[in-house]
Amino acid sequence: MKKTSTRLADGRELIYYDLRDDAVRDAADRRPLERTVTTSEIRRDPLLGDSVAVASHRQGRTYHPPADECPLCPTRGDRLSEIPDTSYDVVVFENRFPSLAGDSGRCEVVCFTSDHDASFADLTAEQARLVLDAWTDRTAELSHLPSVEQVFCFENRGAEIGVTLGHPHGQIYAYPFTTPRTARMLRSLAAHREATGGQNLFDAVLERELAGERVVLESEHWAAFVPYAAHWPYEVHLYPKRRVPDLLALDEAARSEFPQVYLELLGRFDRIFGEGEPPTPYIAAWHQAPFGAPAEPGGATRDDFALHLELFTIRRTSGKLKFLAGSESGMNVFINDVPPERAAERLREVASS
């Protein structure tokens, strides 16, 4: 992998990740952009104890442009985009309309490929490995920022999810706090350790799932399963079998095997609802340990946490979506229409389709 860092016309950082070591990335951003001004603010909810990012400048962000005006495609002739070069393998750049900025963190865009009509599932194993290396590198770099406590790499895919740019891409949020979801996991970890005399909850969950009926696929270094209490109609958790706190700690064996496993998993997601159906909308979310110290004495540490990816879709059956209505949105109590055992069975059925 070759990494080349440059600056866009408004001062934002852009990084090329190339498969070839001889790639030259010296194209200049020819757009007449003024320096980006953001208004991100973090406000804490005194009742729930969580944080909300208020970012009014995002109202003006790019919204469903036609394909020939996609800002994530390479620059071609007079059609100028966020990527100054005429081609690329993987690109990461600072979001022009970030939810988090400055002392409130940082938001980046990750373009998986220059092919506008592709998806992550269409990548080769070599390309998927390059994306993994880019995620890992950005996690390392962002962890050094004094305002950053947790790094979240994720992909929103599909208009149903709310994606406003059709080009295959993901995002990275660098939060200045530990996210509420992670904080809840850390509390559960600490409680389980105390109740069992030192056992790790993630290890116990993985062991139980591997011995059960909800395994979707398993390789030497990775395991994917539908969790016992899945929130979403089709939800899969992907774990490295050796517990590590974040992407940085993955060994080479797990890194090498990841592309085949993940591409197979994404391919199965696209086949859940049968032939002729539109691509399955999904969210793919990497859960990594925060970089700060435990929130309270005796709490779970980074080494207790288990890196894992949660992949889920809001489509519950052909042509029907799972909406977060009163119980989910109002009280955070999910109601799942698809039994996790049936979801796992279906994801195994489509393995050879």
Side-chain angles (χ1 to χ4, degrees):
M1 179 187 78
K2 181 180 181 181
K3 175 183 174 182
T4 306
S5 179
T6 184
R7 292 283 171 179
L8 297 174
D10 56 7
R12 289 175 294 131
E13 185 179 18
L14 179 144
I15 306 161
Y16 294 97
Y17 293 90
D18 285 293
L19 292 168
R20 294 179 47 155
D21 291 336
D22 59 353
V24 177
R25 300 298 185 185
D26 55 7
D29 185 0
R30 295 182 279 132
R31 297 172 297 172
L33 298 180
E34 297 182 358
R35 187 164 290 273
T36 300
V37 177
T38 62
T39 56
S40 296
E41 176 188 0
I42 301 296
R43 297 186 180 183
R44 189 166 180 82
D45 186 318
L47 294 179
L48 298 178
D50 57 12
S51 299
V52 176
V54 179
S56 59
H57 63 277
R58 285 174 52 79
Q59 287 281 41
R61 65 188 184 274
T62 307
Y63 187 79
H64 291 298
D68 60 357
E69 296 179 16
C70 175
L72 306 185
C73 287
T75 288
R76 301 282 170 80
D78 293 330
R79 193 185 78 176
L80 309 180
S81 75
E82 289 279 67
I83 295 91
D85 217 325
T86 57
S87 66
Y88 63 84
D89 292 334
V90 173
V91 161
V92 177
F93 60 87
E94 288 184 76
N95 198 322
R96 190 177 178 187
F97 304 98
S99 304
L100 309 167
D103 292 338
S104 298
R106 175 159 159 151
C107 292
E108 298 181 340
V109 176
V110 184
C111 297
F112 303 140
T113 171
S114 60
D115 185 350
H116 180 85
D117 298 317
S119 68
F120 201 119
D122 296 322
L123 301 181
T124 66
E126 186 180 35
Q127 290 172 312
R129 170 60 190 263
L130 185 61
V131 175
L132 175 64
D133 290 342
W135 284 330
T136 305
D137 181 72
R138 295 315 302 153
T139 297
E141 293 294 329
L142 293 170
S143 72
H144 297 310
L145 297 180
S147 64
V148 172
E149 188 167 316
Q150 186 173 9
V151 177
F152 176 44
C153 305
F154 65 101
E155 180 191 2
N156 297 330
R157 193 254 201 140
E160 300 94 330
I161 298 294
V163 175
T164 58
L165 296 175
H167 196 102
H169 73 287
Q171 300 180 66
I172 301 174
Y173 277 20
Y175 296 102
F177 50 80
T178 296
T179 60
R181 188 175 177 88
T182 302
R184 291 178 67 181
M185 292 184 193
L186 292 172
R187 288 194 296 269
S188 296
L189 273 172
H192 184 82
R193 183 175 61 187
E194 182 176 356
T196 60
Q199 293 182 15
N200 184 277
L201 179 57
F202 281 115
D203 292 349
V205 167
L206 183 58
E207 182 180 0
R208 182 183 70 176
E209 293 292 359
L210 286 177
E213 59 181 319
R214 290 179 297 275
V215 174
V216 174
L217 61 88
E218 183 180 357
S219 65
E220 183 178 356
H221 301 287
W222 294 88
F225 57 87
V226 177
Y228 170 74
H231 289 58
W232 300 94
Y234 291 91
E235 174 182 344
V236 175
H237 293 189
L238 176 64
Y239 278 68
K241 289 185 175 179
R242 183 178 71 88
R243 173 164 47 89
V244 295
D246 54 31
L247 291 166
L248 304 175
L250 282 175
D251 60 24
E252 181 56 33
R255 291 181 183 280
S256 295
E257 196 178 71
F258 170 78
Q260 292 82 4
V261 173
Y262 189 47
L263 293 173
E264 170 64 21
L265 195 56
L266 292 179
R268 295 191 192 189
F269 251 62
D270 270 344
R271 297 191 290 268
I272 292 173
F273 303 104
E275 296 295 329
E277 288 291 321
T280 301
Y282 65 73
I283 293 174
W286 280 109
H287 290 262
Q288 304 192 82
F291 291 99
E296 54 193 53
T301 67
R302 280 180 49 78
D303 288 339
D304 294 321
F305 197 86
L307 167 76
H308 63 284
L309 182 139
E310 298 184 8
L311 174 68
F312 59 90
T313 180
I314 62 172
R315 186 179 292 165
R316 57 188 174 87
T317 189
S318 179
K320 297 179 181 179
L321 302 181
K322 166 64 179 176
F323 292 102
L324 299 188
S327 186
E328 292 87 356
S329 295
M331 296 303 285
N332 199 30
V333 177
F334 277 69
I335 300 170
N336 192 349
D337 303 297
V338 180
E341 292 75 21
R342 174 55 190 147
E345 182 182 17
R346 177 58 183 160
L347 284 162
R348 290 193 299 267
E349 287 175 352
V350 298
S352 59
S353 299

